[in-house]
Amino acid sequence: MALKFHNTLTRSLVPFTPLTAGKVHLYTCGPTVYNRVHIGNLRTFVWEDVLCRALRYLGFETVQVMNLTDIDDKTIRGAIQEGITLKEFTARHVETFFEDLATLNVSPAAHYPRATDHIPEMVEIVKKLTERGHTYESDGSIWFRIASFPSYGKLARVDLSSMQRGARVADDEYEKEDVRDFAVWKGWKEGEPESATWTTELGKGRPGWHLECSAMSMKYLGETLDIHTGAVDNIFPHHENEIAQSEGATGKEFVRYWLHAEHLIVDGEKMAKSKGNFFTVPDLLSRGHSPRAIRYLFLSVPYRQKLNFTFESLAAAASAVARLESLDLRLGERARSTGASAIEDGVEAKISSFQNEFREGLEDDLNTAAALGALFSFVREANADLESGQLSPAGAAAFQRALRGADSVLGVLPKAEAGLLDSEIQAKIDLRQAARKRRDFAAADAIRDELAALGITLEDTPAGVRWRRKS
Ligand SMILES: [Zn+2]
């Protein structure tokens, strides 16, 4: 089987091939930095991380860009309320966002562009749209004229007929020709702070929210992206408007594969502060839950299904993580013990059948439930082999490599050993030398492999063993 994704654009499962062979350019809509993100937002961000990790596991290189929306109605309102500048206000929320990503072991994207650093790029897009007849000015703002873009609506397939075309309606304080038209540039309004206002060729004002993503995605990834993701509530109007702006400006296809994650609900209900079922990561940590269990729970449900968050499911996730961790520790111990130097019959076959099934799960539109099913069959087999007492150190090391390989996608095993102290590394090297002296090459090799898995390479020189950390 080859990699397939459910493309929102076609509402079908389609084979995936990137524009550039072996390299995937993807844009993942980031947070609006006006509050602490909640676990619903983080479900999407963890899924996007697993998507990137899975692509790398499957042999692709990835270039991920995630924007930070640091200028919009909400951030301006927050800055005004607190009597500080927009930048001061958003800086706090940027910080806690990155804190939450690190807590949940989300690998960093290649770029985290901020909207306020890309005003000139946005102005350029508006100018192109104007040249191509897609905009008009009204009341100091610049609007995208939906009627000028016939394929508008192709992503969302929403029923636009309920919105009456051509009716001149007031939206907020703005006048627009058509209720569906949206602002690409918002003219300055009385009361908007200096720190949230730019004076550009388009006049005094600020960019529309949708424009930010068109400008930043195309700047870092080119005019046609392989994958664009977000939560289902981004489909309309946000992503529909991104298509209109980007394709309207370039005349080229903007995104080849649109992927959208379903929502997280709590105890079967929509999360809301008023219902007392609204959680952030610090809320869960303060109740004693582990970040790795939270991450596991998020990724255990395939992204196109609603995730029902309950404390029972979080406890089940914690015990699943504990099983993986315990196997990893026991395999590590066995790998370091003395014994036969060759991997015994059957071990390789078990590993390759597991890896095939795990990969097929990922290739099936990132079916993480299927991939985890394969993983836990493998866990049962490896545990049975360990308990039989027959598993060789080399076999245990091979099992552990396979487990850690799968975890390069999941990211739920502890990274403690990656932080080995120099003295601990030296102690392991001494153990390896001792094993070599007694001609136990399997044990020596297992130690070398273990260090290699932690990014530490050994070099045997006439002056002894040298080691270095891979950067
Ligand atoms: Zn976006």
Side-chain angles (χ1 to χ4, degrees):
M1 196 164 105
L3 179 58
K4 286 191 174 71
F5 286 128
H6 179 271
N7 191 347
T8 308
L9 197 60
T10 58
R11 303 292 193 276
S12 61
L13 208 57
V14 287
F16 173 77
T17 46
L19 212 49
T20 308
K23 194 164 180 175
V24 182
H25 292 88
L26 70 170
Y27 187 83
T28 51
C29 280
T32 299
V33 283
Y34 77 108
N35 63 0
R36 185 141 207 153
V37 293
H38 56 66
I39 57 172
N41 305 128
L42 285 160
R43 188 245 172 141
T44 304
F45 299 134
V46 166
W47 158 63
E48 288 159 343
D49 177 37
V50 172
L51 170 65
C52 291
R53 287 165 174 257
L55 286 165
R56 293 193 289 269
Y57 182 85
L58 297 172
F60 296 98
E61 203 184 313
T62 58
V63 186
Q64 182 197 0
V65 175
M66 178 179 282
N67 66 295
L68 302 173
T69 294
D70 61 353
I71 167 84
D72 78 325
D73 292 342
K74 291 180 205 145
T75 49
I76 293 175
R77 208 179 301 130
I80 293 174
Q81 267 166 13
E82 299 194 23
I84 53 180
T85 65
L86 183 72
K87 213 177 180 72
E88 287 165 337
F89 175 77
T90 56
R92 290 176 196 171
H93 302 295
V94 170
E95 199 181 312
T96 58
F97 174 64
F98 284 127
E99 215 173 275
D100 289 345
L101 292 191
T103 301
L104 295 183
N105 194 23
V106 171
S107 329
H111 305 278
Y112 288 103
R114 287 162 165 76
T116 54
D117 291 334
H118 295 79
I119 305 294
E121 287 85 348
M122 298 179 206
V123 170
E124 279 313 303
I125 294 183
V126 176
K127 282 163 65 185
K128 274 191 202 156
L129 289 173
T130 301
E131 276 164 28
R132 289 167 162 257
H134 291 300
T135 68
Y136 60 93
E137 263 188 73
S138 173
D139 207 16
S141 291
I142 302 175
W143 300 88
F144 188 98
R145 183 184 280 115
I146 297 295
S148 73
F149 191 75
S151 64
Y152 189 86
K154 67 180 173 182
L155 179 70
R157 300 186 183 179
V158 288
D159 179 15
L160 297 171
S161 61
S162 59
M163 302 179 178
Q164 226 187 338
R165 274 190 68 169
R168 193 172 174 88
V169 290
D171 176 71
D172 294 326
E173 281 86 324
Y174 300 112
E175 290 283 317
K176 48 187 176 177
E177 289 177 3
D178 186 320
V179 69
R180 300 168 304 167
D181 292 347
F182 60 93
V184 288
W185 184 261
K186 297 186 164 189
W188 181 79
K189 281 187 289 180
E190 193 65 44
E192 288 188 346
E194 203 56 33
S195 65
T197 306
W198 286 262
T199 301
T200 71
E201 291 170 63
L202 308 177
K204 189 176 167 187
R206 59 183 168 105
W209 168 44
H210 313 297
L211 184 64
E212 301 175 7
C213 284
S214 284
M216 293 186 280
S217 59
M218 293 198 290
K219 170 170 181 177
Y220 292 93
L221 299 169
E223 290 176 341
T224 300
L225 325 181
D226 289 311
I227 300 177
H228 192 316
T229 68
V232 285
D233 58 350
N234 288 145
I235 297 173
F236 189 82
H238 185 48
H239 289 163
E240 194 68 58
N241 290 354
E242 277 188 44
I243 293 175
Q245 295 163 152
S246 302
E247 299 189 354
T250 68
K252 294 179 189 156
E253 184 186 27
F254 174 43
V255 171
R256 302 174 58 237
Y257 301 85
W258 284 97
L259 275 57
H260 292 97
E262 258 298 343
H263 287 143
L264 175 147
I265 50 177
V266 176
D267 283 322
E269 286 191 80
K270 197 171 154 49
M271 205 164 53
K273 281 193 171 135
S274 57
K275 286 190 218 153
N277 67 356
F278 183 97
F279 301 109
T280 64
V281 164
D283 292 337
L284 298 180
L285 299 186
S286 70
R287 291 171 173 233
H289 298 288
S290 116
R292 292 188 286 116
I294 302 168
R295 181 178 168 97
Y296 183 96
L297 174 57
F298 287 174
L299 66 81
S300 65
V301 177
Y303 75 97
R304 289 203 304 122
Q305 291 175 21
K306 279 199 174 69
L307 189 154
N308 187 22
F309 178 93
T310 63
F311 284 98
E312 293 78 55
S313 59
L314 187 54
S319 82
V321 171
R323 283 182 67 200
L324 297 175
E325 195 174 337
S326 142
L327 175 64
D328 181 54
L329 283 172
R330 293 169 70 209
L331 289 173
E333 278 166 20
R334 178 65 57 88
R336 284 189 295 275
S337 68
T338 53
S341 62
I343 297 180
E344 59 269 52
D345 286 350
V347 165
E348 301 277 21
K350 282 173 193 163
I351 291 173
S352 68
S353 112
F354 154 57
Q355 287 175 331
N356 284 339
E357 263 184 73
F358 186 77
R359 196 189 60 243
E360 279 170 16
L362 299 179
E363 286 178 340
D364 180 18
D365 194 28
L366 210 68
N367 185 342
T368 45
L372 288 174
L375 176 61
F376 278 95
S377 311
F378 172 72
V379 167
R380 277 188 293 279
E381 286 185 331
N383 275 325
D385 283 0
L386 271 170
E387 275 145 31
S388 74
Q390 302 300 307
L391 186 63
S392 71
F399 274 153
Q400 195 183 30
R401 278 195 297 276
L403 175 62
R404 293 215 153 226
D407 191 60
S408 70
V409 178
L410 309 174
V412 297
L413 284 176
K415 283 189 290 186
E417 284 188 276
L420 280 187
L421 301 171
D422 290 5
S423 60
E424 293 175 301
I425 295 168
Q426 195 53 55
K428 282 183 191 290
I429 291 173
D430 293 344
L431 273 176
R432 174 171 171 267
Q433 290 304 87
R436 279 158 55 115
K437 258 199 191 112
R438 63 171 192 271
R439 304 190 66 77
D440 184 355
F441 295 112
D445 289 347
I447 294 170
R448 174 193 280 272
D449 289 346
E450 187 200 346
L451 290 171
L454 301 172
I456 294 156
T457 47
L458 304 185
E459 198 189 337
D460 294 306
T461 74
V465 179
R466 293 219 186 108
W467 65 268
R468 61 189 164 78
R469 291 180 203 273
K470 261 185 263 169
S471 53

